[in-house]
Amino acid sequence: MNHEAKPSAIESFQKDSIASIVIRNSIPALIAMIMVMVYNLADTFFLGLTHNDLQVTAVSFATPLFMIFMSLGTLFGVGGTSVISRALGENNTERAKKACSFCMWASVAVGIVFMALLWIFLDDVTTMLGASENSIGLTKDYLRIAIGCGVFSMISNCFSAIVRTEGEAMKAMTGTLIGNLLNMILDPIFILGFKWGVVGAAIATVIGNAVAAGYYILYFLKGKSALSISPKYFSCGDKILSGVLSVGISASLANLLVSVSSIVVNAQLSKYADGDMLVAGYGVTAKVIMIVTLIGIGIGSGVQPFLGYCYGAKQKERLTKGIRFSAMFGLIFCFVVSALCFIFAEPIVKIFLTDLTALDSGVHFTRILMSTAWLIGAFAICQNTLQAVGAATPALLASVFRQGIIFIPAVFILKTIMGVDGLIWAQPIADVLSLGLVIWMLWRKISKTDFEAVSAVSD
């Protein structure tokens, strides 16, 4: 059945006020990201109730690896969103369907391959993560099962972004919401009720992701979407492959480098005498920082389809106004949340940890990172805008700069100068410098674009 894009959704991008569009599309994405945050906190919270902080340590070691699946899903989700939103702006529904189908089946293929590789090399991977003799067994137990949700995680992360290109922000949110709620319901049952510990947390994660992926697949199978996941539309041609990958790699690399940076910091912390407890403290800090990070990502991903549509429709004035409003909205929102997390760092961290070393380090690390975490809102808006307009190289550079070029060298340099604190202060330095870079690149891209020559196929 052939369906056109819903007029009520797409026409709103043309006619409604910018403030209403940004808020209407950001709030569901924000709620979805908050649910991702709560879901990530749930594992740590219920494992903390076992009063065995080594289980928290094990999940802290495993989480960066598990996030790689999310990064791969983001590759196809953000890349697909960029291609699809610009195609819809040009009223090229056929190309939008091809991009959607490509993202679906590429997610499945890549997910299966990566899952197989991780299972085969699980021992080597666990050692690479830096797990100590005390925590390596628990880390393997968690990963051995959690890896099984790889394909489901990729589909869920991919299509929670793509569904928003049709203006269906509520449906995009619902899939994430269902999966995360189910995970949170199963966590206490499996972790505490059945006393399965990290194994129970992993099983709950697999089931939650599988249900979320099933929701998005069912959404397309009902045939009410202007897009399609049918294999008959699968195509790497018409600049689909290059368009998705050129933009998606930058977003995926951003998440991937977050995982790599966490692995690097965990490995360095584990070398200290109280390494396991320092890793546990940093692991909880990473969860708290995720509160602000996911809010920024939620706002950025929520407005990306609108900004991509404006670019494809050659509406420069509407695009620039949308960028300004979105950036200010994200900056203020993230500042308020960061301030609250800074003030209440101790009671927040106490929810998850009991060991005094882990607790003290978690509170201290959280306050250091919150000093600049509020900048993430503006950074996410600028980066998502670069992705929306198909500026693949600048978006890629922003990702590499923040968590790679600046952060990783800073970790080793500052560790030499400041010790443990230096490992943590590397992130605030990277936050400030990367925001300045991404603002400059976005200004340069918009000011130099000839909007009369813009085409949805010119990736």
Side-chain angles (χ1 to χ4, degrees):
M1 184 177 291
N2 188 22
H3 296 275
E4 297 302 320
K6 296 183 178 180
S8 60
I10 300 304
E11 287 180 6
S12 70
F13 288 166
Q14 298 175 327
K15 299 177 180 179
D16 291 0
S17 70
I18 288 172
S20 67
I21 292 172
V22 170
I23 293 172
R24 184 173 64 245
N25 285 276
S26 293
I27 296 303
L30 271 172
I31 294 172
M33 290 298 103
I34 289 171
M35 289 307 303
V36 170
M37 171 199 74
V38 174
Y39 142 70
N40 275 278
L41 291 174
D43 281 357
T44 306
F45 173 72
F46 289 113
L47 287 171
L49 292 179
T50 66
H51 302 296
N52 180 359
D53 286 350
L54 279 176
Q55 297 204 64
V56 176
T57 301
V59 174
S60 298
F61 277 122
T63 297
L65 183 63
F66 178 67
M67 286 177 63
I68 293 176
F69 285 113
M70 297 177 65
S71 300
L72 293 171
T74 299
L75 187 157
F76 297 110
V78 172
T81 294
S82 178
V83 173
I84 293 167
S85 61
R86 283 179 284 137
L88 292 176
E90 290 280 330
N91 200 29
N92 190 345
T93 308
E94 186 72 14
R95 187 169 190 262
K97 287 181 178 180
K98 290 179 180 179
C100 184
S101 180
F102 168 81
C103 290
M104 172 65 187
W105 298 107
S107 294
V108 172
V110 172
I112 290 173
V113 170
F114 194 63
M115 285 166 56
L117 289 173
L118 289 178
W119 270 321
I120 292 169
F121 298 105
L122 182 61
D123 289 346
D124 295 331
V125 167
T126 310
T127 301
M128 179 196 71
L129 293 174
S132 69
E133 183 179 338
N134 294 327
S135 58
I136 193 167
L138 290 170
T139 304
K140 283 183 183 178
D141 289 343
Y142 180 82
L143 285 175
R144 191 174 287 112
I145 296 171
I147 289 169
C149 76
V151 170
F152 304 132
S153 176
M154 286 186 61
I155 293 173
S156 177
N157 278 277
C158 175
F159 286 95
S160 65
I162 287 178
V163 169
R164 281 194 294 272
T165 60
E166 298 185 274
E168 295 288 3
M170 291 300 295
K171 286 186 171 63
M173 177 195 74
T174 301
T176 302
L177 190 65
I178 291 173
N180 290 340
L181 280 175
L182 181 58
N183 185 292
M184 287 185 287
I185 292 169
L186 294 176
D187 263 342
I189 296 173
F190 292 165
I191 294 172
L192 302 175
F194 294 169
K195 301 187 185 303
W196 289 346
V198 291
V199 171
I203 293 172
T205 296
V206 173
I207 295 173
N209 277 273
V211 170
Y215 170 87
Y216 292 115
I217 292 171
L218 187 61
Y219 167 78
F220 289 106
L221 292 181
K222 286 181 177 179
K224 295 181 180 179
S225 170
L227 306 176
S228 176
I229 60 172
S230 172
K232 72 178 182 179
Y233 287 107
F234 179 86
S235 173
C236 295
D238 194 19
K239 292 191 177 181
I240 299 296
L241 175 64
S242 61
V244 171
L245 295 186
S246 63
V247 174
I249 284 174
S250 65
S252 176
L253 190 58
N255 290 337
L256 182 61
L257 285 173
V258 169
S259 298
V260 171
S261 63
S262 294
I263 292 170
V264 169
V265 174
N266 283 339
Q268 294 303 309
L269 288 173
S270 67
K271 295 178 181 179
Y272 287 88
D274 295 321
D276 282 331
M277 293 303 100
L278 290 176
V279 170
Y282 182 71
V284 171
T285 294
K287 301 286 188 181
V288 179
I289 290 299
M290 192 180 293
I291 297 172
V292 185
T293 302
L294 290 177
I295 286 173
I297 293 172
I299 296 173
S301 60
V303 300
Q304 183 178 339
F306 166 63
L307 299 176
Y309 181 89
C310 291
Y311 186 81
K314 306 177 184 179
Q315 299 173 356
K316 181 177 182 179
E317 183 179 358
R318 196 162 171 80
L319 173 64
T320 53
K321 287 181 178 179
I323 295 170
R324 290 194 198 101
F325 183 89
S326 301
M328 187 57 63
F329 180 63
L331 197 64
I332 293 172
F333 208 127
C334 288
F335 179 80
V336 172
V337 176
S338 296
L340 291 173
C341 289
F342 184 94
I343 295 168
F344 298 105
E346 185 170 350
I348 291 173
V349 175
K350 272 186 176 179
I351 295 173
F352 306 100
L353 297 170
T354 55
D355 180 88
L356 286 179
T357 301
L359 176 61
D360 289 344
S361 63
V363 173
H364 183 56
F365 295 164
T366 297
R367 286 182 172 151
I368 290 175
L369 293 184
M370 283 299 168
S371 64
T372 57
W374 55 280
L375 299 176
I376 293 173
F379 179 86
I381 297 298
C382 294
Q383 186 174 41
N384 277 80
T385 304
L386 288 171
Q387 293 162 355
V389 302
T393 301
L396 177 63
L397 182 58
S399 300
V400 174
F401 194 83
R402 181 170 182 261
Q403 293 302 130
I405 295 174
I406 292 297
F407 179 81
I408 293 177
V411 164
F412 294 100
I413 294 170
L414 294 179
K415 178 192 175 185
T416 302
I417 300 171
M418 303 170 63
V420 173
D421 278 4
L423 294 172
I424 312 303
W425 273 108
Q427 188 62 67
I429 290 173
D431 287 343
V432 173
L433 295 177
S434 59
L435 178 60
L437 176 69
V438 76
I439 289 174
W440 175 77
M441 289 192 299
L442 180 58
W443 172 82
R444 189 169 181 270
K445 170 66 178 177
I446 298 300
S447 63
K448 291 193 173 185
T449 296
D450 179 4
F451 277 78
E452 292 303 315
V454 168
S455 171
V457 297
S458 58
D459 300 299

